[in-house]
Amino acid sequence: GRYPVFYLLHGGGDSDDSWSTVGRAGFILDNLIAAKKAKPMIVVMPAGHTSRAPRVPGTMTGDEFPQEFMKDILPYVESHYRVMTDRGSRAIAGLSMGGAHTLNIAIPNLERFGYIGVFSSGVFGIVPRPGAPAPQGPPWEEQHKEALANAKARQGLKLFWFGTGKEDFLLETTRATVEMFKKHGFPVVYDETGGAHTWIVWRNYLRDFAPRLF
């Protein structure tokens, strides 16, 4: 048999084993599947820091990873593992930097993803933050205007979920991002929870997000 596939991305300064160690993703998903609350799925946890990118927590590492994801990671997974390849069987989510990566991957390729999750994140630089470097180039919304206007691609999106804690330093970034997507007609689900930019929050988000998939 074949399984739906869930791409789960880590945050800045973390690595490809962060979700399975401190994030406890295997335990969370195994328990949900055993309780019949989530469907069996293949979870792919790639390394999101590209070779040339600086390892600076809280900053975006350029756009190399989204290119690598679409060019190398996704085709590799689909040719080497028993995954279903229809849109409704493909989910992507990430925390912090991984949430920004999720948007940079999924929005330009919306026809490929049925489920999108953004944990404690949003479009980096959408609201100015004290001490943060000024964003380079045109604003994100301008860069992605064709994708944002594609109503046909938007219709097949089954879930577009954001979660951020009220004590999170990226709270205003999330709120502004959610408003921007709503303005463009996206069916955003936004869960503003307690908590800060910490793993206890992200484990809860995985627990809440996974049962909604597939």
Side-chain angles (χ1 to χ4, degrees):
R2 293 188 171 266
Y3 295 91
V5 59
F6 175 23
Y7 296 91
L8 183 58
L9 310 181
H10 66 75
D14 284 342
S15 67
D16 51 0
D17 71 353
S18 298
W19 264 115
S20 45
T21 53
V22 64
R24 301 186 73 77
F27 296 100
I28 292 167
L29 287 158
D30 280 347
N31 287 335
L32 288 169
I33 291 166
K36 303 270 192 286
K37 288 180 179 168
K39 292 201 166 69
M41 63 185 87
I42 289 175
V43 182
V44 179
M45 295 174 269
H49 285 289
T50 52
S51 55
R52 293 195 301 259
R55 284 178 172 271
V56 184
T59 59
M60 269 312 286
T61 54
D63 271 333
E64 295 171 354
F65 179 71
Q67 292 164 17
E68 182 186 340
F69 183 93
M70 292 307 298
K71 194 165 103 296
D72 298 327
I73 297 170
L74 190 115
Y76 183 89
V77 168
E78 295 191 346
S79 61
H80 288 74
Y81 296 92
R82 292 185 307 170
V83 299
M84 290 144 86
T85 56
D86 61 293
R87 179 183 186 175
S89 302
R90 199 183 286 119
I92 185 167
L95 70 91
S96 195
M97 178 186 81
H101 278 155
T102 293
L103 293 173
N104 288 340
I105 290 164
I107 298 306
N109 301 287
L110 200 52
E111 72 289 343
R112 309 282 293 272
F113 296 94
Y115 303 84
I116 301 170
V118 180
F119 304 168
S120 305
S121 191
V123 172
F124 283 26
I126 195 169
V127 287
R129 280 209 340 268
Q136 303 296 307
W140 195 95
E141 192 174 1
E142 178 65 23
Q143 289 173 40
H144 296 88
K145 63 174 187 279
E146 282 173 32
L148 290 169
N150 189 338
K152 189 164 171 286
R154 201 162 55 234
Q155 278 163 7
L157 186 56
K158 295 172 187 289
L159 179 64
F160 192 18
W161 191 91
F162 282 75
T164 299
K166 290 188 199 310
E167 289 84 59
D168 198 300
F169 73 99
L170 286 174
L171 182 62
E172 294 307 324
T173 296
T174 303
R175 286 174 173 168
T177 303
V178 166
E179 285 313 308
M180 184 260 293
F181 278 112
K182 283 183 173 169
K183 182 182 83 183
H184 287 281
F186 280 77
V188 181
V189 178
Y190 177 36
D191 192 4
E192 199 165 288
T193 67
H197 206 70
T198 59
W199 273 103
I200 188 79
V201 171
W202 302 325
R203 289 182 207 139
N204 288 340
Y205 290 169
L206 179 61
R207 182 202 65 204
D208 294 344
F209 184 70
R212 301 168 188 239
L213 301 180
F214 318 123

